[in-house]
Amino acid sequence: MKVLVAVKRVVDYNVKVRPKSDGTGVDLNNVKMAINPFCEIAIEEAVRLKEKGVVTEIVAVSIGAKVSQEQIRTALALGADRGILVETDVEVQPLAIAKLLKAVCDKEQPQMVILGKQAIDGDNNQTGQMLAALTGMSQGTFASEVVVDGDSVTVTREVDSGSQVVKLSLPAVITTDLRLNEPRYASLPNIMKAKKKPMDVMTPEELGVDVTPRVTTLKVEPPAERQAGIKVADVAELVDKLKNEAKVI
Amino acid sequence: MSILILAEHDNASIKGATLNTVAAAKAIGGDIVVLVAGEACSAAAEAAAKIDGVSKVLVADNAAYGHQLAENVSLLVAELGKDFSHILAPASTSGKNTLPRAAALLDVAQISEIISVESADTFKRPIYAGNVIATVQSSDAIKVITVRTTAFDAVSAEGGSATVEAVASAHDAGTSSYVREEVAKSDRPELTAASIVVSGGRGMQNGDNFAMLYSLADKLGAAVGASRAAVDAGFVPNDMQVGQTGKIVAPDLYIAIGISGAIQHLAGMKDSKVIVAINKDEDAPIFQVADYGLVADLFNAVPELDSSL
Ligand SMILES: Cc1cc2nc3c(=O)[nH]c(=O)nc-3n(C[C@H](O)[C@H](O)[C@H](O)COP(=O)(O)OP(=O)(O)OC[C@H]3O[C@@H](n4cnc5c(N)ncnc54)[C@H](O)[C@@H]3O)c2cc1C
Ligand SMILES: Nc1ncnc2c1ncn2[C@@H]1O[C@H](COP(=O)(O)O)[C@@H](O)[C@H]1O
């Protein structure tokens, strides 16, 4: 079966970003960019399913500026077969991303779409669920285990109370949680090979999707600073402070 | 304005997160209606009717909603939600599962994890692991929102007397089914609701050593949490993970033990009132947010702390 994997270009997870001083946006000058960690897990899962013989083709899709090609190349180096870039320079919000992915699904007819549960820039955690709604597909969000069995897939989901197992009919949308797998590193030969894999480029207009934002960011600001704390010398001082100063125990 | 809240419940009772969500709805202002979608959920519906500030409870009691599968509940929320200006749910795993799906069915955006209400269409929400707070304004006719429960003080579970109305419509998408659930059983308070949280990280070295934290937690009436490194290493189950991509907590006291303080961990606990860090590395970033830092080997400090309580 064919699997579509959605990969987003985001600020590297080690970078602590800051708002610009005028509050108009986040300072992304000279910041290291990377594939969203959850999307890396999504690619890895697709590749493992291919290695098991369940999946025959993996298509990596990204929506964003031309530079997002880098993240598609990473996905190709990790084992995706071909890439699709939906190129746009404007900020595209989750509902519109989901509509674009639906348009790609209409063309590609995948049996499964794997996304990250969350992009670590906007922390939205929505796109997979929205895509599932628009396509009428079932959804296995926050997945820590994915087992394909004929025309259904059994997904273990990480939920607040522990874990939940659901059985979904295919086609289905899966969103990945951190424990689903540990992504491999791309080998040098695979990075070289990825350069020759096909990548289609299309635009939102060609896909017939209106990407007008529904939500406007009025301003961004840093979170409230915490008051500087103190170091205590020993456990006795700690207990004293907690009892008599902070009065929390 | 009228606000529909998708209740967090287990058919028998209403979960605390619903009370925080009602608080967010009150901040928006308007008529507050709570939807209880479940199976044999009349007890939960009756409890919802007592919540302070709620004017009506809608009960959709049907096998299709028994396990609150997103495929089915989102159809219900989209159908009922058409008549509301706002649709809210807690930013729990179930709210996050269902609400974006309902929003897409209504062709509107969803605003995730608001931490404040500026006006009926403008909200604050953290992005980039809480390193940035964005003020966002929605232009959609229906605002679909998940609420970060730690940012809103719960309303009282008592004192209300809402009318309870049954909803007949049963949506079964027929594409998913519930198989089973493994619920972590614990007598300790729930992580997201506890007033004290004791969390362990990679420094704990293994799962057995968490016994030290359980003992400490029991003396303090605390819940026990963990960093992702501790979860990944298999010391503890995933439902204990605190952070950007785990649970968000804001207790009166958070004690971080053997946790370095990565951005992603801080995102889940830095709004705690008092933070204590115990770490043997005096340069660990956790000390930058700690009110009281103790540079010590946890294997000495934790037993000593335990015995001095
Ligand atoms: C996409 C993504 C999402 C993530 N989401 C989360 C999340 O939600 N929550 C989260 O926690 N992490 C998350 N992480 C992981 C995060 O980046 C860190 O790797 C993790 O928080 C580190 O956990 P730790 O502090 O326990 O381990 P470490 O960073 O290894 O720190 C261990 C600490 O223990 C101390 N120590 C060791 N031995 C002792 C001793 N005997 N006595 C005292 N101190 C000792 C050390 O000095 C050190 O500071 C995420 C990462 C990614 C990429
Ligand atoms: N611009 C994008 N291009 C490709 N995939 C995306 C994009 N934005 C979001 N996604 C996918 O949706 C997931 C969840 O993102 P979000 O809902 O924004 O938190 C990501 O992990 C990706 O798999």
Side-chain angles (χ1 to χ4, degrees), chain A residues 114-190:
Chain A
I114 315 183
L115 303 89
K117 82 163 174 183
Q118 174 172 342
I120 60 164
D121 49 3
D123 283 336
N124 280 310
N125 194 335
Q126 312 177 356
T127 307
Q129 296 87 316
M130 288 185 152
L131 173 65
L134 299 176
T135 54
M137 289 189 208
S138 53
Q139 69 184 51
T141 52
F142 328 143
S144 62
E145 196 183 351
V146 173
V147 180
V148 178
D149 180 17
D151 56 5
S152 69
V153 55
T154 301
V155 179
T156 306
R157 307 180 50 238
E158 299 206 340
V159 295
D160 288 338
S161 56
S163 60
Q164 181 192 56
V165 182
V166 290
K167 192 171 179 182
L168 312 173
S169 53
L170 293 174
V173 169
I174 310 282
T175 75
T176 61
D177 216 317
L178 289 170
R179 285 198 314 159
L180 180 58
N181 60 50
E182 210 172 305
R184 69 195 65 191
Y185 292 97
S187 68
L188 198 57
N190 284 343

Side-chain angles (χ1 to χ4, degrees), chain B residues 74-165:
Chain B
S74 62
L75 289 167
L76 176 70
V77 173
E79 181 202 323
L80 300 175
K82 284 194 185 73
D83 304 328
F84 291 83
S85 60
H86 296 74
I87 304 175
L88 270 56
S92 58
T93 49
S94 74
K96 288 174 180 173
N97 193 31
T98 300
L99 232 54
R101 188 165 180 131
L105 292 173
L106 290 164
D107 192 26
V108 298
Q110 194 232 232
I111 300 177
S112 296
E113 298 223 19
I114 63 162
I115 55 169
S116 86
V117 174
E118 303 296 299
S119 73
D121 66 3
T122 305
F123 311 92
K124 287 193 180 185
R125 59 176 303 261
I127 55 176
Y128 289 94
N131 288 314
V132 179
I133 306 296
T135 304
V136 297
Q137 184 173 38
S138 161
S139 60
D140 281 317
I142 305 172
K143 281 104 185 130
V144 182
I145 296 166
T146 62
V147 174
R148 178 168 289 191
T149 54
T150 53
F152 295 89
D153 289 333
V155 301
S156 170
E158 300 292 331
S161 56
T163 55
V164 179
E165 197 177 291

Side-chain angles (χ1 to χ4, degrees), chain A residues 67-84:
Chain A
V67 281
S68 302
Q69 286 190 2
E70 291 171 13
Q71 281 61 47
I72 297 179
R73 288 287 169 215
T74 305
L76 296 172
L78 291 169
D81 297 292
R82 58 191 173 88
I84 296 175

Side-chain angles (χ1 to χ4, degrees), chain B residues 201-202 227-229 241-243 245 258 260 264-265 279-280 298:
Chain B
R202 199 195 314 266
S227 71
R228 180 201 165 191
Q241 181 184 322
V242 171
T245 60
S260 62
Q264 294 83 9
H265 189 79
N279 196 305
K280 67 178 181 189
L298 71 91

Side-chain angles (χ1 to χ4, degrees), chain A residues 11 13-19 26 28 38 93 95 99 117-126 129-130 132-134 136-142 154 157-169 177-179 213-224 226-236 238-239 241-243 245-246 248-249, chain B residues 67 69-71 92-93 96-97 100-101 103-105 107-112 122 124-140 174-184 196 220 228 231-232 238-239 241 244-245 247 252-253 263-264 270-276 278 282 287 289-295 301 304-305 308-309:
Chain A
V11 170
Y13 80 98
N14 280 311
V15 176
K16 185 172 172 185
V17 301
R18 283 173 214 288
V26 174
L28 295 181
F38 290 99
Q93 297 178 347
L95 179 62
K99 289 181 180 178
K117 82 163 174 183
Q118 174 172 342
I120 60 164
D121 49 3
D123 283 336
N124 280 310
N125 194 335
Q126 312 177 356
Q129 296 87 316
M130 288 185 152
L134 299 176
M137 289 189 208
S138 53
Q139 69 184 51
T141 52
F142 328 143
T154 301
R157 307 180 50 238
E158 299 206 340
V159 295
D160 288 338
S161 56
S163 60
Q164 181 192 56
V165 182
V166 290
K167 192 171 179 182
L168 312 173
S169 53
D177 216 317
L178 289 170
R179 285 198 314 159
R214 308 292 187 85
V215 177
T216 313
T217 299
L218 301 180
K219 72 166 181 206
V220 297
E221 61 198 317
R226 284 191 77 91
Q227 295 260 322
I230 57 158
K231 292 254 171 68
V232 292
D234 50 30
V235 170
L238 176 62
V239 173
K241 293 282 186 200
L242 292 178
K243 279 194 175 142
E245 192 175 82
V248 283
I249 59 171
Chain B
H67 295 284
L69 295 168
E71 293 82 353
S92 58
T93 49
K96 288 174 180 173
N97 193 31
R101 188 165 180 131
L105 292 173
D107 192 26
V108 298
Q110 194 232 232
I111 300 177
S112 296
T122 305
K124 287 193 180 185
R125 59 176 303 261
I127 55 176
Y128 289 94
N131 288 314
V132 179
I133 306 296
T135 304
V136 297
Q137 184 173 38
S138 161
S139 60
D140 281 317
T175 52
S176 61
S177 59
Y178 167 89
V179 179
R180 65 173 183 277
E181 209 151 40
E182 271 151 41
V183 176
I196 302 181
L220 294 166
R228 180 201 165 191
V231 171
D232 268 357
N238 65 281
D239 50 271
Q241 181 184 322
Q244 179 190 15
T245 60
K247 286 183 180 157
D252 294 335
L253 173 61
I263 304 169
Q264 294 83 9
K270 71 176 157 55
D271 292 329
S272 304
K273 286 211 184 76
V274 175
I275 297 174
V276 169
I278 302 177
E282 63 174 335
F287 287 125
V289 300
D291 300 282
Y292 304 110
L294 176 61
V295 180
E304 197 184 330
L305 179 57
S308 60
L309 292 172

Side-chain angles (χ1 to χ4, degrees), chain A residues 33-85:
Chain A
M33 303 298 284
I35 190 166
N36 181 43
F38 290 99
C39 301
E40 223 174 329
I41 296 172
I43 291 283
E44 177 67 27
E45 195 61 19
V47 173
R48 289 187 190 190
L49 288 169
K50 194 175 173 196
E51 287 166 350
K52 280 189 197 141
V54 176
V55 164
T56 48
E57 189 184 22
I58 304 169
V59 183
V61 187
S62 192
I63 295 145
K66 199 178 201 89
V67 281
S68 302
Q69 286 190 2
E70 291 171 13
Q71 281 61 47
I72 297 179
R73 288 287 169 215
T74 305
L76 296 172
L78 291 169
D81 297 292
R82 58 191 173 88
I84 296 175
L85 171 67

